Amino acid sequence: MRILIATAGSRGDVAPYTGLGAELRRAGHDVALATTDAFAPLVRDAGLEFRRLPADPRAPGGATAGRELMRAAAAFVMELGEGFADAVAEGTDLLLLSATTAPLGWHLTEATGTPSLGAYLQPTEPTGDFPPVVMGSRSLGRFGNRAAGRFALRMADRVYEEAVTKLRHRLQLPPASPSEIRRRQARANRPVLHGFSTALVPRPSDWPSGMRVVGNWWPHHDAAAQLPADLEDFLRAGSRPVLIGFGSMASEDGARLSEIAVRALRGAGLRGILQAGSAGLVADGDDVLTIGEVPHALLFPRLAAVVHHAGAGTAAAALRAGVPAVTVPVAADQPFWAARLAALGAATAPIPFRSLTAERLADALHRVVTQQAYARAAMRAAHHLATEDGAGQALKAVGQLTEG
């Protein structure tokens, strides 16, 4: 089969699909991944065909106020819709849709007859178990959580409204609103796979039967890959270090964050590795090393702890390695995942990014490294994650869909 996976956003929104795509390719499928230009090397390194989506995922991030953010997100989605239609026009037998691309992909499925399967990295379906992931982690009660979940979907539909109108016109489909199409999908009980662990989010009992939680899709990395020599030397030169990184977040705050990180590490008496990321973290000294991108699967098992922004992928990677965390959530779904890690006992209470100080970070680092309960909780979660086979479950679902 020719399978097209479509996703857009930050690295954490793309990397898991490289592993899923590689697994599908190993099973004999011809797999393409449609995403933005920045991730073309990531896609090709996994042995997948790259198809370009022209949208700039940084555009929504530059907005701060509610209305401004909605406008920026709508512009991002508009561009995404145009590029997505072009990517599908190159040919495919099956669409795998992320939470971001699904509200556009449904229309392409309708127009072309190409079947589709949801492959989400976040839970978006309303439930009484927890509030929408974009609204943080504070429960509003079962009724309130469900109501908030429905409201979040209505807000998302507003973001997609103009793009959907334009896309349906291009595809020569009769007019239909995003919310109307979403209701149609719900009535049909379309299958959606969720690529995260039940250790973090057990499947809500009030979800429709088509919604499944299958376990993580891990980013692809070359089986022969090794850590850079300077990093390997640093790891061997002393006690287990702590990694501090904020991924694609905090892009204009590098100098301040670097100073906080180094002061916190030295205040807690720990060796550290700073991952540059979008913020451009950097530090000098025998007790601190600065690195670029390296596979989490190779580095994390050799650490004492990880300080991260609680993106879904990084949160799962630390758990997989059995390593406790200090979370510094910035925005979007990060407070949700940070709270989940803390509830498991595998992380300290989250430090909101705006409240981050060297003193608070040093205190959290001291606790997470010296109090063994955190490491034990992380190891319990690691054993749970090891029983899950997210890519294998997705492969099975693809087979069932095509047989049906």
Side-chain angles (χ1 to χ4, degrees):
M1 284 185 71
R2 294 173 303 165
I3 298 175
L4 176 62
I5 305 171
T7 185
S10 68
R11 186 185 181 92
D13 298 306
V14 177
Y17 296 107
T18 64
L20 176 58
E23 191 69 26
L24 290 165
R25 190 173 67 87
R26 274 192 290 273
H29 298 294
D30 182 1
V31 185
L33 204 165
T35 190
T36 47
D37 284 331
F39 305 111
L42 212 61
V43 173
R44 293 185 176 120
D45 285 349
L48 310 177
E49 177 195 342
F50 171 74
R51 294 192 191 176
R52 180 176 182 267
L53 295 182
D56 179 0
R58 294 168 300 182
T64 52
R67 227 171 251 180
E68 184 190 350
L69 187 60
M70 291 280 278
R71 275 198 300 270
F76 166 68
V77 166
M78 177 69 77
E79 208 175 351
L80 194 61
E82 288 291 300
F84 195 3
D86 292 338
V88 171
E90 293 180 44
T92 188
D93 302 316
L94 175 67
L95 284 170
L96 292 190
L97 304 172
S98 72
T100 308
T101 59
L104 300 166
W106 297 330
H107 310 279
L108 291 158
T109 290
E110 182 182 342
T112 64
T114 305
S116 65
L117 178 65
Y120 295 2
L121 301 178
Q122 302 88 7
T124 61
E125 183 70 17
T127 173
D129 288 5
F130 47 80
V133 297
V134 293
M135 292 176 64
S137 58
R138 186 179 173 190
S139 178
L140 306 170
R142 294 197 67 80
F143 177 80
N145 288 342
R146 274 193 291 267
R150 290 191 291 269
F151 174 77
L153 290 181
R154 285 198 299 274
M155 290 298 99
D157 288 340
R158 282 180 58 186
V159 168
Y160 283 84
E161 197 158 9
E162 194 178 346
V164 163
T165 299
K166 189 171 182 180
L167 182 59
R168 290 186 73 83
H169 178 75
R170 170 178 169 170
L171 298 171
Q172 299 182 325
L173 293 171
S177 70
S179 54
E180 185 181 334
I181 299 299
R182 189 184 291 282
R183 285 193 296 271
R184 198 183 296 172
Q185 292 290 316
R187 283 195 299 271
N189 195 23
R190 300 286 188 204
V192 177
L193 308 180
H194 294 83
F196 47 78
S197 174
T198 54
L200 277 174
V201 184
R203 184 190 180 279
S205 59
D206 57 355
W207 269 9
S209 59
M211 304 277 165
R212 294 174 53 202
V213 179
V214 298
N216 288 88
W217 303 309
W218 302 108
H220 169 80
H221 72 268
D222 189 331
Q226 294 182 326
L227 296 175
D230 60 338
L231 175 54
E232 191 64 59
D233 291 344
F234 184 81
L235 289 165
R236 290 175 176 167
S239 58
R240 286 188 174 221
V242 168
L243 175 75
I244 299 179
F246 298 100
S248 59
M249 309 305 293
S251 57
E252 297 171 3
D253 233 355
R256 184 181 73 88
L257 288 173
S258 300
E259 183 188 352
I260 287 174
V262 173
R263 282 177 54 207
L265 286 165
R266 290 174 180 161
L270 297 167
R271 299 193 324 134
I273 299 168
L274 303 192
Q275 189 158 35
S278 295
L281 299 186
V282 64
D284 293 316
D286 294 339
D287 58 343
V288 185
L289 178 73
T290 303
I291 63 168
E293 290 292 339
V294 298
H296 289 164
L298 296 184
L299 176 59
F300 281 17
R302 300 178 66 181
L303 301 172
V306 183
V307 178
H308 61 76
H309 60 302
T314 313
L319 279 188
R320 184 192 196 190
V323 177
V326 174
T327 58
V328 186
V330 182
D333 59 341
Q334 294 161 15
F336 174 84
W337 297 111
R340 290 272 152 172
L341 288 174
L344 271 183
T348 56
I351 305 173
F353 181 73
R354 284 188 292 272
S355 306
L356 182 65
T357 64
E359 292 71 25
R360 288 190 71 176
L361 184 54
D363 177 64
L365 280 172
H366 177 74
R367 279 185 286 118
V368 84
V369 171
T370 60
Q371 296 177 17
Q372 289 304 304
Y374 292 109
R376 284 196 295 269
M379 282 305 302
R380 282 195 299 272
H383 293 315
H384 182 112
L385 266 67
T387 68
E388 297 173 326
D389 180 13
Q393 290 296 314
L395 188 58
K396 194 179 295 183
V398 165
Q400 290 167 347
L401 193 69
T402 53
E403 288 163 15

